[in-house]
Amino acid sequence: MAGDTRLDPKVLKTAGVLIAGVLAVVFDTTIVGVALHSLAADLHTTVATVQWVTTGYLLALGITVPLSTWAMARFGGKRVWIFALAVFLAGSVASSLAWDAPSLIASRVVQGVGGGLMLPVMTTLVVRAAGGRLLGRTTAVIALPALLGPILGPLVGGLILTHLSWRWMFWVNVPFCVAGIVLAARFLDRDGPSSRPRLDVLGLALLGPGTAAVIFGLSRAPDGGFARPGVLVPLVLGVALAAGFALYAARRANPLVDVRLFAHRPTASASGVLFFSGFALYGAILLLPLYYQQVRGTTALDAGVALIPQGIGTLLSRSLAGSLTDRLGARPITVAGFLVVAAATVPFAYADAHTSAWSLAGWLLLRGIGLGAVTVPVMAVAYLGLGHEQIAHASVLVRVAQQVGGSFGTAVLAVLLQNAITDGDPVPAFHQAFWWATGFSALAIVIALALPARPPVESPTT
């Protein structure tokens, strides 16, 4: 019914089954991020080498995400989901048993293949189940795992590194993967292949390596800026490959990813906001734990505890942002969210080692509320008015925009922070970096004005 504001039980069932599995990916990403120094020491290698534990995972993720559209059309969403979970499970077990850095990096690449399929498949299946109705509330449900990860991931990682071997960082994925496979096999609706499409090999050869090259170049930027050949060459190559894919896919009847959806205003504007919001959202997420560790002298675990209020704020605003998006549209909620994020970032541009921890916790809570008010409506609006088969393509476009934008924003703020540290005192450098983060939030407000002002009553996704 058009006037019903309750989510269909089918949507909740589908989301619940998928969330059980995707939590493994969410926790894995945030847990491993706090363990690189410990891994380097235990594996008797350098931090630069063990950094590939993260980089290899991200590259595999970037290459695999575009495959999800073909895989779902060829094999059906349920089969692809269970296969992706099984691959991630195998990569997790192999990572826990790794005997040196190369074996751990290879195992993380396997995890990246599974994770790259899982993330867009989850979004596609839940949005399809919603049938184009109440996309704000639906997205609020989908966003739950991504919001829990930053809250619990650093805590779990810190506890493991303090009391257990680093190998347990990967063993904790096993229960989520097993539960996800069992629940999906039992409760996920079977959706057979919609067609028997051939794999667009040329498209994959352009888009997969193009995305990976951009991410790789951005991951190397913090070590010495963007002007180094090791950064510029992969960035230019990646952009060229991605542009080549766009030109190729625009003329192909059944491309790997349908870039013609960028002509659809909701999808195009949402992708643009997600890309540019990487500077305001993900870049500051890099700065905050570094501020607590380098300025206030906390451990990685204590820094994770200090950031809990931000995660709580995001959780608190998630449901309200979803319902308001369905009632008012994405534009006013997103603009208000960016305003809150910008205002709550300003105090960190004045903070030092002696600033009240309780005061900063309050600002982090407010900042988290703003983050929830940004993420949910932008993700929801990307699927307005799309047909059944188009949803999978939109999921890939949105995921790539979010991933590349986040990497770009993180790299830019990391470079700005490094360049600002001139005399060994990190406080002025962090002040300058937080001002940049605030400015990026203000710029994101302008970009968010391109979002549709009001959603249609119901979108034809059936």
Side-chain angles (χ1 to χ4, degrees), residues 352-445:
D352 56 25
H354 306 292
T355 304
S356 168
W358 287 105
S359 172
L360 294 179
W363 288 113
L364 283 172
L365 179 68
L366 183 62
R367 193 174 192 279
I369 291 173
L371 290 177
V374 167
T375 306
V376 170
V378 176
M379 291 292 291
V381 78
Y383 302 97
L384 287 176
L386 297 184
H388 183 82
E389 296 300 325
Q390 291 176 313
I391 293 173
H393 293 269
S395 294
V396 172
L397 294 175
V398 166
R399 178 64 196 171
V400 171
Q402 191 175 33
Q403 185 178 10
V404 174
S407 297
F408 200 11
T410 300
V412 167
L413 281 177
V415 170
L416 290 170
L417 179 64
Q418 291 297 325
N419 290 340
I421 299 177
T422 55
D423 58 359
D425 181 10
V427 175
F430 275 96
H431 287 174
Q432 182 174 331
F434 278 118
W435 275 120
W436 277 103
T438 303
F440 289 140
S441 298
L443 176 62
I445 294 172

Side-chain angles (χ1 to χ4, degrees), residues 23 26-27 30-31 145-159 176 301 304 307-308 311 315:
L23 283 174
V26 173
F27 286 135
T30 52
I31 289 174
L147 302 180
L148 287 175
I151 301 174
L152 299 179
L155 290 178
V156 174
L159 289 172
F176 292 110
L301 176 58
L307 293 177
I308 286 178
L315 284 174

Side-chain angles (χ1 to χ4, degrees), residues 45-295:
T45 187
T46 64
V47 174
T49 298
V50 85
Q51 182 70 42
W52 277 94
V53 170
T54 298
T55 304
Y57 176 85
L58 291 175
L59 294 181
L61 201 77
I63 291 174
T64 311
V65 163
L67 269 174
S68 64
T69 54
W70 169 80
M72 290 189 69
R74 178 67 178 80
F75 302 105
K78 180 175 181 176
R79 289 181 179 178
V80 175
W81 177 256
I82 293 175
F83 171 79
L85 266 174
V87 171
F88 196 86
L89 173 61
S92 298
V93 173
S95 296
S96 67
L97 300 175
W99 57 91
D100 58 12
S103 62
L104 178 58
I105 293 167
S107 301
R108 287 283 288 165
V109 170
V110 174
Q111 280 189 303
V113 171
L117 288 172
M118 288 169 65
L119 296 171
V121 169
M122 174 188 174
T123 305
T124 299
L125 291 179
V126 177
V127 173
R128 284 179 176 176
R133 294 186 60 254
L134 302 176
L135 289 176
R137 291 171 175 81
T138 301
T139 305
V141 174
I142 298 173
L144 182 60
L147 302 180
L148 287 175
I151 301 174
L152 299 179
L155 290 178
V156 174
L159 289 172
I160 289 174
L161 294 176
T162 302
H163 301 290
L164 298 170
S165 164
W166 59 265
R167 299 180 186 277
W168 283 95
M169 293 189 306
F170 303 105
W171 282 118
V172 297
N173 298 331
V174 173
F176 292 110
C177 291
V178 172
I181 291 173
V182 172
L183 290 173
R186 175 67 178 85
F187 297 108
L188 204 59
D189 291 340
R190 181 180 296 276
D191 59 331
S194 58
S195 60
R196 298 285 181 178
R198 290 184 177 181
L199 177 61
D200 183 4
V201 177
L202 179 56
L204 181 63
L206 290 171
L207 183 58
T211 303
V214 170
I215 293 172
F216 175 70
L218 293 173
S219 71
R220 303 191 66 182
D223 295 329
F226 288 90
R228 295 184 300 117
V231 175
L232 277 179
V233 170
L235 279 180
V236 171
L237 176 63
V239 171
L241 288 172
F245 172 79
L247 293 174
Y248 161 78
R251 296 192 296 268
R252 184 177 171 85
N254 297 297
L256 182 70
V257 180
D258 192 357
V259 297
R260 287 164 293 200
L261 287 179
F262 283 132
H264 183 61
R265 180 185 172 187
T267 304
S269 59
S271 299
V273 172
L274 283 171
F275 176 84
F276 287 105
S277 68
F279 295 84
L281 306 184
Y282 295 95
I285 289 174
L286 163 79
L287 293 178
L288 288 167
L290 289 177
Y291 160 77
Y292 278 98
Q293 293 176 67
Q294 296 183 16
V295 175

